[in-house]
Amino acid sequence: MSVPRFDGTPPRLRSLVEDLRRVGAIRSAAWAEAFASVPRHIFVPEWYGQEADNRGITVWRRHDAGDRDAWQAAVYSDQTLVTALDPDTAERVDERAWTGVPTSSSTLPSLMAQMLEDLGVEDGHRVLEVGTGTGYNAALLCARLGDRLVHSVDVSPALVEAARGRLASAEYRPHLTAGDGQQGFPGHAPFDRTIATCSVPRIPVAWIEQTRPGGTILADVSMGIEGGLVRLTVDEERRALGHFTTTTGRFMAARSDAHAYPRPGRAPYAPQAGSRSASVTATDIRAHYPLRLLLAFHLPGAELVYHVDDETGAMSLQLQRRDGTWARAPIDDEHTTTVTYGGSADLWRRAEAAWQWWNDHGRPAQDRFGYAREADGHHYAWHLPDGHRWPLTP
């Protein structure tokens, strides 16, 4: 697709950079210069916004330069823009609308800026980016470091080729390849920095092996109930040790033809076994991100979902395991403490234990928790002040 050109990009681009500096997402002159030199519109010639059509069906509606003002305003605002839908699930509703599952996006610029600042690159660093997507983040890395030092991989050959064309039109030519990003970029290691714009259930061993000792990995680790961004240092023993960052943000799950971390099938929900009062409510869990992170430590392999009652339409927050165990609390009343459960009653009790621990320790923020992946593949989290550990292998 040819990239539309329009007047007024520099003012809009300057305004975006100023906004990112004002909120503290851009903290350095080097990254301010990089963001100011890369026009985002080249990398987002079209995007999909979610809305209800005239039948009440939720669809993804395509937007492009045909509505120039709206397109410019969206591209140069601090918002995530969905840029691709899964062709296996996408179904055309009308000329500009589809149903389907998003597979790629241009990430919230403020989140990208914070992550790039957190990455701590220096002149001369070789960087691996996992998740090429639109190519915008690779362009920012090129603007900061130079083309020859930037390497990017994406599982979708079509996305890689589209990104290659957009990067070339902006006069950037980093090393790009299509493949399983969880395998890194074989043949081009070692890297000083590895950054992933997709989530993984644990840090892949290939990233550790391809990051030089003393180098940094920045990625979103998804642990079931919750996840978060971790900044890790690789040591001489090929361990990755670090902590969750003050920057919060989540990404689409990494896609892999090889399914590096296959998950077992889900058992049917257990029949309702009872109900009881509880000390932690759905409102407590929804309101506190660090608490949800702690719940993931206490309940590895569990999930947190919204449950809608088939008869009443009432919505609850539900903890569940793949063995069919579940426990749910209503979300329509912040004072309600009644929990209903199926299977073992232990699931919500462990949530209460996490709530008690979090309060007893002064409600620590996410950056007070460490994360480690050992050379043997085991991974765990720990409380930085006192060293208390939680194994994360289900």
Side-chain angles (χ1 to χ4, degrees), residues 60-343:
W60 292 99
R61 188 162 299 279
R62 188 180 68 201
H63 300 268
D64 55 31
D67 185 355
R68 184 162 298 194
D69 288 341
W71 175 59
Q72 290 183 35
V75 168
Y76 287 103
S77 64
D78 188 24
Q79 62 177 304
T80 295
L81 299 174
V82 170
T83 55
L85 304 175
D86 180 2
D88 292 333
T89 62
E91 293 186 10
R92 196 181 192 110
V93 176
D94 60 40
E95 183 180 352
R96 301 180 67 83
W98 290 259
T99 59
V101 178
T103 56
S104 185
S105 64
S106 181
T107 303
L108 191 75
S110 58
L111 175 56
M112 295 175 67
Q114 291 177 81
M115 288 182 67
L116 289 169
E117 291 279 12
D118 290 345
L119 192 61
V121 298
E122 299 177 4
D123 292 348
H125 274 174
R126 303 179 77 249
V127 176
L128 168 62
E129 177 197 33
V130 179
T132 307
T134 67
Y136 181 47
N137 199 56
L140 293 167
L141 286 164
C142 289
R144 172 65 179 84
L145 298 169
D147 299 14
R148 66 182 180 84
L149 298 176
V150 178
H151 305 71
S152 186
V153 57
D154 198 290
V155 72
S156 169
L159 286 179
V160 170
E161 288 311 305
R164 193 188 307 277
R166 293 167 188 159
L167 284 157
S169 70
E171 300 185 350
Y172 298 118
R173 291 175 173 78
H175 304 277
L176 302 180
T177 192
D180 182 356
Q182 294 176 83
Q183 301 304 315
F185 203 137
H188 288 254
F191 302 103
D192 299 285
R193 298 288 186 267
T194 297
I195 181 171
T197 54
C198 55
S199 71
V200 289
R202 67 198 69 171
I203 301 299
V205 64
W207 297 1
I208 298 174
E209 292 175 344
Q210 294 175 32
T211 302
R212 70 173 74 251
T216 297
I217 297 173
L218 182 64
D220 174 19
V221 177
S222 179
M223 295 171 290
I225 289 176
E226 189 54 276
L229 295 171
V230 293
R231 187 180 192 276
L232 312 174
T233 299
V234 175
D235 66 15
E236 296 284 353
E237 298 176 29
R238 313 314 293 172
R239 301 180 301 170
L241 307 171
H243 60 87
F244 290 85
T245 70
T246 56
T247 300
T248 57
R250 303 304 314 281
F251 289 90
M252 297 178 188
R255 292 180 294 145
S256 168
D257 293 334
H259 299 294
Y261 304 109
R263 302 193 68 180
R266 181 190 302 283
Y269 285 137
Q272 182 173 324
S275 62
R276 65 175 183 83
S277 61
S279 60
V280 59
T281 68
T283 299
D284 295 324
I285 294 172
R286 294 176 73 205
H288 302 292
Y289 166 68
L291 172 61
R292 295 194 301 277
L293 200 60
L294 189 63
L295 285 175
F297 301 164
H298 279 246
L299 293 163
E303 299 169 310
L304 186 65
V305 300
Y306 287 99
H307 177 271
V308 179
D309 187 277
D310 292 336
E311 296 182 1
T312 67
M315 184 174 290
S316 299
L317 198 67
Q318 177 166 298
L319 291 170
Q320 60 187 34
R321 283 185 168 144
R322 303 191 78 81
D323 64 2
T325 300
W326 57 270
R328 70 175 74 110
I331 64 174
D332 56 351
D333 184 349
E334 64 181 26
H335 303 296
T336 298
T337 58
T338 300
V339 171
T340 305
Y341 60 91

